[in-house]
Amino acid sequence: MSTGIIIRRVRIEDWQQARDLRLEALLDPVAAVAFLETHEQAVTRPDGFWQDRTTRAATDPHVAQFVAEAADGRWLGSMTALVERPGGAGALEGDVIEVDQAHVVAVYVRPEARGTGLALDLIRTVQEWAWSLTEPRIERVRLFVHEDNPRAEAMYRKAGFEPSGVVLPVPGGGGGRERELAVPRG
């Protein structure tokens, strides 16, 4: 990790930065295949939505958002993990939750920080958080990557994620497929 960059869990008072980074992420050229929400949908959400979302990511024992913060306070990237329990609703239609797991979502690294190893540092932080949980005990960390996002898939594979064999259609009938990648508890 670069000198002066820290990775930390988001704080309640960070809601405006969290909102701004999410809106920026949704304008990224790969946003259409990386996120299940559009900028047009997100920009209309009221401040209360962003405050609640950030509060949950800062305090809920089953949700955590981590940010990479430069020495000047600027956020360079973010990643969120959600705990999923067997029998719970999956992320995509047809998704079946079989074990206690952490699901990595909302991954974004600003263009100037891509290729620096920052995404790998964020993923390691998310995994450390997931493995540290005792209730529930996480058996694997997983994520979905769109078939048209090879750069993201390469980064996840470099971080140790492997295809699980689960491939599901993208929600909303937009076409394409999402591949599940996972890392089992080691």
Side-chain angles (χ1 to χ4, degrees):
M1 185 169 20
S2 300
T3 305
I5 296 174
I6 61 162
I7 296 179
R8 64 169 177 84
R9 190 165 181 177
V10 73
R11 295 185 285 256
I12 295 170
E13 63 270 17
D14 291 335
W15 72 269
Q16 290 172 309
Q17 280 181 284
R19 176 199 59 205
D20 293 349
L21 190 68
R22 175 68 173 187
L23 293 175
E24 177 183 319
L26 292 170
L27 290 173
D28 189 272
V30 297
V33 297
F35 299 103
L36 300 178
E37 171 182 48
T38 67
H39 182 269
E40 292 73 24
Q41 292 167 325
V43 77
T44 64
R45 298 190 190 281
D47 288 350
F49 170 85
W50 299 104
Q51 291 163 346
D52 291 346
R53 181 177 172 146
T54 305
T55 296
R56 185 169 175 233
T59 63
D60 189 311
H62 298 112
V63 178
Q65 179 181 2
F66 294 92
V67 295
E69 185 175 44
D72 64 4
R74 185 167 190 262
W75 287 9
L76 298 175
S78 177
M79 199 172 284
T80 301
L82 313 167
V83 172
E84 297 175 320
R85 308 290 310 260
L92 304 172
E93 188 174 332
D95 188 16
V96 177
I97 311 298
E98 296 178 348
V99 298
D100 292 322
Q101 61 191 16
H103 185 163
V104 178
V105 297
V107 176
Y108 180 67
V109 173
R110 285 194 155 124
E112 67 270 22
R114 293 178 188 163
T116 66
L118 184 62
L120 292 171
D121 291 335
L122 279 163
I123 229 20
R124 279 193 279 283
T125 301
V126 166
Q127 287 176 316
E128 288 170 7
W129 172 80
W131 302 141
S132 76
L133 297 176
T134 57
E135 185 50 42
R137 183 177 189 270
I138 300 301
E139 296 301 323
R140 71 185 196 136
V141 176
R142 62 108 174 228
L143 53 85
F144 282 94
V145 65
H146 193 281
E147 64 188 350
D148 292 336
N149 199 351
R151 181 177 178 156
E153 183 169 344
M155 185 276 294
Y156 296 130
R157 290 178 74 109
K158 188 174 182 179
F161 285 78
E162 292 294 332
S164 68
V166 173
V167 179
L168 298 171
V170 173
R177 299 177 305 164
E178 296 272 346
R179 284 194 282 263
E180 182 188 61
L181 304 178
V183 174
R185 185 175 200 92

